[in-house]
């Protein structure tokens, strides 16, 4: 009888221990699953963040679109900035004399650097370009040869200078007085050169300033420029 009670107690104790062990194992599995759920959630959040980052990258590409807009703006600005700038604006045609205001002023008369400052202003409604140097014939007669290009001029005469409406380009006629065989005049004829080197129609230009009369026995011409030559 005693032995039976001992066995019964032992069996009960063993059963209780087994139950506790199983509960502990079940708890561990539950924690593992919970941790796995956290890991899965973390992974999902990571993927979500990664995808969100991808969208963020796409949104950062939009400023790239803004950058493109900026590029277009720069191009447009460059066109506007080329009121008298190098580089032909799209659609611009060669300037024609009947759309230009051509003027000249006698500067440094009788001094070293004596010259005629020539100004060409676009009075039309569309951009146009000038190139090279103007074909100038001094005096009233227009049958003589056009003056040569100055050998001391800067390079770049083959480029186009685009004039927006109201834009201005400058050239100069250098006058040299070496002796008694001088010519005297108060006007000259000017023609615009094309890209092919041929001259357009000639226009008479009267000299302005305090001393409109000028003398020379040799003379040459400077390229068109956006800046005034001899602008001391």
């Amino acid at each position: 009888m005693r032995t039976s009670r001992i066995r019964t107690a032992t069996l009960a104790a063993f059963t209780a221990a087994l139950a506790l062990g199983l509960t502990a194992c079940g708890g561990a599995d539950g924690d593992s699953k919970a941790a796995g759920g956290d890991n899965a959630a973390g992974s999902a959040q990571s993927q979500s963040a990664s995808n969100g980052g991808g969208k963020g990258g796409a949104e950062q590409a939009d400023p790239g679109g803004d950058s493109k807009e900026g590029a277009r703006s720069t191009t447009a600005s460059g066109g506007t900035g080329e009121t008298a700038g190098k580089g032909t604006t799209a659609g611009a045609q060669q300037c024609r004399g009947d759309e230009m205001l051509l003027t000249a002023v006698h500067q440094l008369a009788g001094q070293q650097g004596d010259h005629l400052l020539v100004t060409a202003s676009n009075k039309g409604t569309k951009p146009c370009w000038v190139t090279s140097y103007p074909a100038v014939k001094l005096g009233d007669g227009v049958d003589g040869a056009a003056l040569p290009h100055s050998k001391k001029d800067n390079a770049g005469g083959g480029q186009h200078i685009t004039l927006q409406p109201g834009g201005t380009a400058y050239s100069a006629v250098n006058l040299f007085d070496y002796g008694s065989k001088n010519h005297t005049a108060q006007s000259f004829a000017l023609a615009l050169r094309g890209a092919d080197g041929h001259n357009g129609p000639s226009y008479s230009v009267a000299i302005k300033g305090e001393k409109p009369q000028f003398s020379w026995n040799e003379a040459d011409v400077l390229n068109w420029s956006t800046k005034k030559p001899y602008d001391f």
Side-chain angles (χ1 to χ4, degrees), residues 5 15 24 47 57 76 87-88 111 140 185 191 193 198 203 214 219:
R5 288 179 181 176
T15 301
Q47 291 178 355
T88 304
Q111 305 176 45
D140 297 330
R193 295 182 187 273
H198 292 100
Y203 297 87
F214 58 94

Side-chain angles (χ1 to χ4, degrees), residues 65-138:
D66 293 341
S67 176
K68 291 181 181 178
E69 185 65 26
R72 288 194 293 270
S73 175
T74 300
T75 301
S77 175
T80 304
E82 287 176 359
T83 297
K86 295 180 179 179
T88 304
T89 301
Q93 302 294 324
Q94 181 181 355
C95 295
R96 299 183 310 185
D98 56 357
E99 296 179 344
M100 305 295 289
L101 175 62
L102 302 171
T103 61
V105 178
H106 190 193
Q107 296 188 332
L108 299 178
Q111 305 176 45
Q112 184 176 2
D114 191 350
H115 68 280
L116 306 175
L117 175 64
V118 182
T119 301
S121 300
N122 181 8
K123 295 303 179 181
T125 59
K126 297 180 180 180
C128 67
W129 54 262
V130 295
T131 189
S132 188
Y133 60 98
V136 174
K137 297 179 180 180
L138 298 178

Side-chain angles (χ1 to χ4, degrees), residues 23-49:
T23 300
C25 289
D29 290 342
D31 291 343
S32 176
K33 290 180 180 177
D38 292 342
N39 289 340
S43 176
Q45 290 174 355
S46 176
Q47 291 178 355
S48 175

